[in-house]
Amino acid sequence: MLPVVELKGVTHAYLGEREASLAVEDLNLSIGSGEFVSLVGPSGCGKTTLLSIIAGLLQPSEGEVSVYGRPIHNPSPEIGYMLQQDYLFPWRTILENALLGLELTGNLNEENRRKTVELLGDMGLAGKEDAYPSQLSGGMRQRVALVRTLATDPGLLLLDEPFSALDYQIKLQLEDLVSETLRRRGTTAILVTHDLSEAIAVSNRVILLEPNPGRIRKVFTVPESIREVPPLYARDQPGFAELFHEVWKEMEQAGSKSV
Ligand code: ADP
Ligand code: MG
């Protein structure tokens, strides 16, 4: 089967005034349909750069990127990207913000509106439809951004630390909800997270990047026994703690490259 995402020899350098910094170098990666992949690694190892490249927002200095078998040069409606800091429009209500993607892609109809209201409810935002972003907490606003990204039902979803500002309890609930929603829809997803236990609990594969330059250090495949249960229970499965320590140790070594 054709991979959904394919990167071949992707290198990206940011050009500064005095020097060029190599954010990612010679990345090769292939992600299959319906696969859930997490990107982890020390700060500055190129995670956000990589997502922006896959989203078509950033042209790499070198290499080929294709999504659904086509070279990607621009953002496309089949790719949903929730940025690390995703801003809501302050003058739009919560529901109007959540419907924005559907509106922009010309897919706003009664059924999609109803599904979006339902999704807001699933995310614990029932009754907030007519509120404005300034009336919500940071964690709530982040959940609205997540609903906005999910509402268009993209085939490929790119998430940059979507749960990082949330309370632990809510974060665990949302991991379950998002993971279940994506599994049901058959969505392919790439999640950037600094939470290793989250990465292992939700993914088929965990890709560890190292900095200076950003490269793939190691790929961990999550065993089916962990994968088949909801993220909340995955943490209790045999083998989870061992895998966590394995990734952790490797991450520490990757981190020592940055000093
Ligand atoms: P991560 O998301 O893993 O923390 P980034 O992709 O944001 O990493 O950054 C990778 C490297 O590229 C870092 O060294 C960072 O300083 C640099 N970088 C990121 N964005 C820019 C930019 N817009 N201009 C210059 N350098 C950048
Ligand atoms: Mg980042």
Side-chain angles (χ1 to χ4, degrees):
M1 203 165 46
L2 202 66
V4 172
V5 177
E6 182 133 58
L7 303 179
K8 284 188 192 154
V10 170
T11 293
H12 189 72
Y14 289 103
L15 301 176
E17 277 178 14
R18 265 166 284 148
E19 51 178 11
S21 75
L22 210 47
V24 295
E25 186 178 57
D26 194 24
L27 281 187
N28 295 287
L29 179 63
S30 175
I31 299 175
S33 181
E35 207 184 347
F36 199 126
V37 167
S38 288
L39 297 178
V40 299
S43 172
C45 67
K47 303 180 294 292
T48 297
T49 301
L50 191 54
L51 281 198
S52 300
I53 289 173
I54 298 171
L57 290 172
L58 187 65
Q59 288 298 308
S61 319
E62 272 176 61
E64 291 168 36
V65 186
S66 56
V67 174
Y68 293 109
R70 293 184 298 277
I72 188 100
H73 298 297
N74 293 302
S76 125
E78 59 201 348
I79 307 175
Y81 186 14
M82 183 176 155
L83 304 172
Q84 197 162 5
Q85 267 153 0
D86 217 332
Y87 297 104
L88 303 177
F89 290 112
W91 59 87
R92 287 188 149 227
T93 65
I94 294 313
L95 181 58
E96 285 167 353
N97 268 288
L99 293 173
L100 188 67
L102 288 167
E103 223 174 281
L104 292 176
T105 54
N107 289 309
L108 184 56
N109 54 36
E110 265 319 299
E111 198 199 344
N112 283 336
R113 171 189 283 269
R114 186 185 52 75
K115 282 188 186 161
T116 306
V117 171
E118 208 175 287
L119 208 50
L120 283 171
D122 288 344
M123 300 277 177
L125 295 162
K128 301 285 181 206
E129 294 83 356
D130 298 326
Y132 286 88
S134 61
Q135 299 172 289
L136 267 56
S137 69
M140 282 179 161
R141 285 200 294 270
Q142 204 172 13
R143 280 179 274 159
V144 178
L146 188 57
V147 171
R148 179 172 65 191
T149 312
L150 287 171
T152 54
D153 196 7
L156 172 63
L157 185 62
L158 310 173
L159 300 167
D160 202 346
E161 309 222 4
F163 308 122
S164 59
L166 304 174
D167 293 341
Y168 192 63
Q169 195 74 17
I170 293 177
K171 173 186 155 92
L172 291 181
Q173 284 168 7
L174 285 194
E175 280 175 14
D176 267 18
L177 178 70
V178 170
S179 152
E180 152 67 17
T181 307
L182 300 188
R183 225 182 274 207
R184 203 175 46 216
R185 295 177 174 185
T187 310
T188 307
I190 308 177
L191 169 76
V192 168
T193 177
H194 61 256
D195 179 342
L196 297 184
S197 93
E198 174 175 288
I200 297 168
V202 301
S203 315
N204 299 95
R205 278 190 292 162
V206 176
I207 296 176
L208 174 65
L209 299 172
E210 62 181 23
N212 306 320
R215 282 174 161 272
I216 294 179
R217 184 179 179 98
K218 197 162 177 180
V219 178
F220 301 87
T221 300
V222 178
E224 195 53 37
S225 56
I226 295 176
R227 180 59 201 146
E228 68 192 6
V229 294
L232 186 58
Y233 302 102
R235 291 172 165 85
D236 301 326
Q237 291 296 302
F240 187 95
E242 288 79 358
L243 184 54
F244 180 90
H245 286 294
E246 206 185 317
V247 183
W248 177 269
K249 221 171 62 195
E250 198 69 35
M251 172 117 156
E252 263 191 345
Q253 286 167 11
S256 65
K257 269 199 74 187
S258 56
V259 285

